[in-house]
Amino acid sequence: DYDELEREEKGGGGDDEYYGLPHIPVSITQEKLPPQRDEGKQNKLLYDQLHTYFLSPNCSTEKKKEVEKDIPPLESNQIVQLFQDNVKGFDSTLDRTGSTPVSQFILSTYYTGLPLFDDNETMKHHTINALRYILAKVSGVPEKTRKNFLTRIVDAYTACQMEQARVIDAVYGTLSGRDKSFKEQILNLIDIQKEQVLNQIVNRFNPNAWRTGDDNPQGQIPHIISSYCVKIGNQLGLRGYDTAMMDRNRFTIDDKDAELLKEAFHRLFTITDLINTIVSDVNQQDADVERLINLQSLTQWAGDPQVNNNFESHSIFYY
């Protein structure tokens, strides 16, 4: 079982006032915002249209995360062996209290879920099924990718349950996206970029959060992320809103600060970065690479005018 420190994190989401969430001003002003986006040149209108669509609820994958449920569970020794084979120092990695091996908590999540979600069966079963999906499928991806995924999960278990839930969902989204359509793979890539931008914003305006202790949970990175995600996540189509709502250690943000947060997000999320990520991913040459875009899906999309809006199919070979 999770120890008492972990169980104190369990919250319920819902009405902020009812749960006694504090209001904390965001350390952000117009002068501290990143520079304005300047991209697209002769294609500026198209870039702006894509930017508006990608940062909208229409682009959200939050409501599309049904997890495959009929996955036979692994034995505990199989789970431990999988992590031992792929994560350096796994056996000696302890939880954030420094008292319990993370392996115990990973196994507990795999079989019974996170205590954080004891009052929300939907989120609890999503996390269980997502972790089971990851551990069932991860052996089939290239070694570098497999080690990255499993290391990220182990690192999450050195933090709080909110971080564990968020990372499990993010890794599940990336891993499951590989088997979906080309459009859904692009949306998955956008989710990853949005996550990176949100982390940039949190670190930009909370530079000391990484060193904040448990005496001030609202000042810690996982709970700041939850707070920002709840306030602006739905409007920007961010993944993780439902999980963030369960964070009892989040805080409320006023509308003025929220507008500045959204403006910072709009400036840091660029179509140029997305294009460069897609091109770099597609152009990888090694056999054992961490690939987010399935090349067969790309060529099928490029060759089908019914779904690609008359895209010039041969251009994928000489960008």
Side-chain angles (χ1 to χ4, degrees):
D1 290 339
Y2 277 78
D3 60 28
E4 190 62 29
L5 178 59
E6 290 288 325
R7 289 187 179 278
E8 288 177 358
E9 299 172 14
K10 189 175 74 172
D15 186 85
D16 291 349
E17 184 176 350
Y18 176 81
Y19 285 100
L21 299 179
H23 173 78
I24 299 179
V26 178
S27 179
I28 179 174
T29 62
Q30 192 73 36
E31 293 72 26
K32 292 183 179 179
L33 289 173
Q36 292 274 7
R37 282 173 53 245
D38 182 20
E39 57 177 348
K41 298 180 181 178
Q42 68 269 25
N43 293 316
K44 185 177 185 307
L45 177 60
L46 176 59
Y47 274 55
D48 289 346
Q49 290 173 334
L50 289 171
H51 190 269
T52 299
Y53 173 70
F54 291 153
L55 295 185
S56 76
N58 294 328
C59 196
S60 174
T61 62
E62 178 73 12
K63 304 304 180 184
K64 304 174 184 176
K65 57 182 188 182
E66 284 294 324
V67 186
E68 185 178 333
K69 298 177 182 178
D70 298 326
I71 297 176
L74 300 173
E75 298 292 336
S76 59
N77 64 309
Q78 293 176 297
I79 297 170
V80 171
Q81 189 66 55
L82 181 62
F83 281 99
Q84 288 174 334
D85 290 344
N86 291 280
V87 181
K88 185 177 181 180
F90 173 69
D91 289 334
S92 60
T93 304
L94 304 178
D95 74 332
R96 66 193 181 108
T97 69
S99 60
T100 307
V102 296
S103 57
Q104 292 188 24
F105 292 124
I106 293 173
L107 291 172
S108 176
T109 303
Y110 187 89
Y111 291 114
T112 63
L114 290 168
L116 174 70
F117 297 140
D118 278 352
D119 297 329
N120 188 316
E121 287 297 311
T122 299
M123 293 301 300
K124 184 174 184 176
H125 287 295
H126 169 75
T127 304
I128 293 172
N129 292 328
L131 184 56
R132 291 185 180 185
Y133 179 95
I134 292 167
L135 300 191
K137 303 292 185 180
V138 75
S139 295
V141 303
E143 181 182 8
K144 179 181 177 182
T145 304
R146 180 171 64 252
K147 290 185 174 182
N148 286 343
F149 282 159
L150 295 178
T151 299
R152 189 177 178 193
I153 290 173
V154 170
D155 287 345
Y157 276 84
T158 65
C160 64
Q161 289 182 64
M162 185 52 54
E163 183 68 5
Q164 294 159 24
R166 183 178 293 113
V167 168
I168 289 170
D169 184 56
V171 172
Y172 162 73
T174 301
L175 184 57
S176 62
R178 294 162 183 265
D179 298 325
K180 296 181 180 178
S181 69
F182 176 67
K183 177 181 178 180
E184 289 173 310
Q185 290 173 34
I186 294 296
L187 292 179
N188 174 53
L189 207 59
I190 292 168
D191 277 344
I192 294 172
Q193 184 169 329
K194 287 178 178 178
E195 180 185 12
Q196 293 169 344
V197 170
L198 183 59
N199 287 334
Q200 287 181 54
I201 290 173
V202 168
N203 289 312
R204 185 185 189 98
F205 299 114
N206 305 273
N208 296 316
W210 65 274
R211 68 177 75 185
T212 302
D214 289 340
D215 58 326
N216 177 24
Q218 282 81 20
Q220 295 176 316
I221 289 175
H223 307 301
I224 297 172
I225 291 175
S226 293
S227 304
Y228 289 7
C229 188
V230 166
K231 187 63 178 181
I232 66 174
N234 274 344
Q235 300 167 62
L236 298 175
L238 303 187
R239 190 180 179 96
Y241 175 86
D242 291 343
T243 300
M245 279 294 293
M246 299 298 296
D247 189 347
R248 194 174 185 175
N249 287 317
R250 60 184 170 86
F251 52 87
T252 62
I253 300 170
D254 65 35
D255 292 341
K256 181 179 178 181
D257 284 345
E259 287 303 313
L260 289 172
L261 286 174
K262 285 195 295 183
E263 180 62 26
F265 205 102
H266 276 271
R267 294 186 182 192
L268 289 172
F269 183 95
T270 70
I271 303 302
T272 300
D273 285 344
L274 178 60
I275 292 172
N276 289 338
T277 300
I278 294 171
V279 172
S280 296
D281 188 79
V282 169
N283 284 343
Q284 294 181 96
Q285 300 298 315
D286 294 339
D288 188 20
V289 295
E290 185 174 353
R291 194 180 294 282
L292 298 171
I293 301 296
N294 182 288
L295 297 185
Q296 184 177 0
S297 297
L298 171 61
T299 55
Q300 288 175 344
W301 171 85
D304 188 350
Q306 293 186 349
V307 298
N308 67 21
N309 198 28
N310 294 315
F311 175 80
E312 187 180 347
S313 58
H314 294 291
S315 66
I316 64 172
F317 298 110
Y318 57 81
Y319 176 84

